[in-house]
Amino acid sequence: MTNLLETIQSGRQSKPPRVLLYGVEGIGKSTFGSEAPKPIFIQTEDGLDEIECDRFPLATKFDDIVAALKTLVNEKHDYESVVIDSLDWLERLVWDKLCQQYAVESIEKVDGGYARGYMHALSLWREVLDLLNVLRSRGMVTILIAHSKVERFEDPESSPYDRYSPRLHKHAAALVKEWCDAVLFATRKMRTQSEDGGFNRKRTIAHAIGKDGGERVVRAYGSPSCVAKNRYGIAEELPLSWSAFVNALTNNSPAPQNQGN
């Protein structure tokens, strides 16, 4: 019988990061992925034509995603990063797969309804994450890209407020966020200013900070405005680039920790 004490591991174990980057359309999420070491894209939406990168053919069904990941697992290659672009379109393929299996037209009707479809979807999400875990164990970086949405957050310690979050169903979002080492929100630097709106009313105007409509940045820590976290102790706003993220990992490497969910 194996002595469990002999299996105990100690000390830090550096592994490739698992990153979820989300933000509004056109902010530069795919470019961020293309800057990672030797990336290969698994694309679920058409939008990489203007980016210099290697990519699998556009996935039109869930099995295409699994086939691409298994190819990376089973075949010899030189890629060092895998980028799934995007998760919200992958979720549609997950739902389509379940609708086919249960011969229904909507995820809401899978297995008789009552939100069972969303729970069944988690098994397909775990299939994807398990394959990504294998690639990570072989030294590959994982970057998951998603669009953003504004959701109402019921904070038990304060009044409800709106915040940005990944555009995924809450069950899938919770699973992916927990799995990732860093959840990054891509946005632009803005400032707000109150101005006279006439008739004794004030209006708030947003002004960009920096060129090209506002400097592009990522937030790696949670706040009332967005969902974000990291396990590397990053507590500052970063430029939206892979090199800036890697530099932050290096500078904060002695003290990895959770920065919220």
Side-chain angles (χ1 to χ4, degrees), residues 18-20 87 90 122 125-126 128-129 132 144 146 166 168-183 229 231:
R18 299 168 294 189
V19 179
L20 166 58
L87 287 192
L90 169 55
L122 295 181
W125 280 107
R126 291 189 183 98
V128 170
L129 297 182
L132 290 172
L144 309 176
L168 297 170
H169 185 271
K170 61 182 180 180
H171 295 325
L175 176 65
V176 173
K177 287 187 296 182
E178 181 181 2
W179 181 81
C180 287
D181 301 307
V183 177
K229 76 162 195 179
R231 296 179 176 136

Side-chain angles (χ1 to χ4, degrees), residues 39-61:
I40 175 68
F41 277 72
I42 300 176
Q43 54 177 342
T44 61
E45 61 173 292
D46 192 6
L48 294 175
D49 292 343
E50 302 303 319
I51 294 179
E52 183 65 34
C53 64
D54 290 356
R55 52 192 178 269
F56 286 99
L58 181 66
T60 58
K61 56 184 183 295

Side-chain angles (χ1 to χ4, degrees), residues 28-94:
K29 302 182 296 296
S30 299
T31 299
F32 178 94
S34 70
E35 295 169 347
K38 295 184 180 178
I40 175 68
F41 277 72
I42 300 176
Q43 54 177 342
T44 61
E45 61 173 292
D46 192 6
L48 294 175
D49 292 343
E50 302 303 319
I51 294 179
E52 183 65 34
C53 64
D54 290 356
R55 52 192 178 269
F56 286 99
L58 181 66
T60 58
K61 56 184 183 295
F62 178 78
D63 291 347
D64 294 339
I65 304 295
V66 173
L69 289 171
K70 287 185 175 179
T71 296
L72 294 174
V73 167
N74 297 323
E75 302 295 333
K76 185 176 180 180
H77 59 82
D78 296 325
Y79 297 112
E80 298 177 10
S81 305
V82 56
V83 184
I84 297 183
D85 190 0
S86 65
L87 287 192
D88 31 317
W89 282 74
L90 169 55
E91 184 166 63
R92 299 182 188 190
L93 302 183
V94 168

Side-chain angles (χ1 to χ4, degrees), residues 195-203:
E195 297 182 354
D196 184 7
F199 301 101
N200 295 320
R201 295 180 180 178
K202 294 288 186 180
R203 62 178 180 177

Side-chain angles (χ1 to χ4, degrees), residues 51-225:
I51 294 179
E52 183 65 34
C53 64
D54 290 356
R55 52 192 178 269
F56 286 99
L58 181 66
T60 58
K61 56 184 183 295
F62 178 78
D63 291 347
D64 294 339
I65 304 295
V66 173
L69 289 171
K70 287 185 175 179
T71 296
L72 294 174
V73 167
N74 297 323
E75 302 295 333
K76 185 176 180 180
H77 59 82
D78 296 325
Y79 297 112
E80 298 177 10
S81 305
V82 56
V83 184
I84 297 183
D85 190 0
S86 65
L87 287 192
D88 31 317
W89 282 74
L90 169 55
E91 184 166 63
R92 299 182 188 190
L93 302 183
V94 168
W95 292 353
D96 287 346
K97 174 83 171 180
L98 289 170
C99 288
Q100 270 189 333
Q101 290 178 351
Y102 286 87
V104 294
E105 297 179 354
S106 167
I107 187 68
E108 297 282 353
K109 297 181 180 180
V110 166
D111 197 16
Y114 299 100
R116 292 191 184 98
Y118 301 113
M119 300 306 297
H120 286 308
L122 295 181
S123 64
L124 299 183
W125 280 107
R126 291 189 183 98
E127 183 177 353
V128 170
L129 297 182
D130 286 345
L131 288 168
L132 290 172
N133 276 333
V134 175
L135 295 176
R136 184 182 186 233
S137 70
R138 299 179 184 179
M140 290 192 75
V141 171
T142 300
I143 299 176
L144 309 176
I145 292 173
H147 297 93
S148 62
K149 66 178 180 180
V150 176
E151 67 174 8
R152 192 70 168 169
F153 180 61
E154 300 288 338
D155 191 336
E157 295 185 344
S158 68
S159 300
Y161 53 84
D162 292 338
R163 66 178 183 178
Y164 285 103
S165 65
R167 192 188 297 169
L168 297 170
H169 185 271
K170 61 182 180 180
H171 295 325
L175 176 65
V176 173
K177 287 187 296 182
E178 181 181 2
W179 181 81
C180 287
D181 301 307
V183 177
L184 309 177
F185 173 57
T187 186
R188 297 178 187 270
K189 275 194 171 182
M190 307 289 287
R191 64 177 175 85
T192 57
Q193 178 178 327
S194 294
E195 297 182 354
D196 184 7
F199 301 101
N200 295 320
R201 295 180 180 178
K202 294 288 186 180
R203 62 178 180 177
T204 301
I205 305 296
H207 297 276
I209 300 176
K211 61 181 183 179
D212 300 328
E215 180 184 348
R216 302 180 186 194
V217 295
V218 292
R219 296 174 188 161
Y221 53 91
S223 72
S225 64

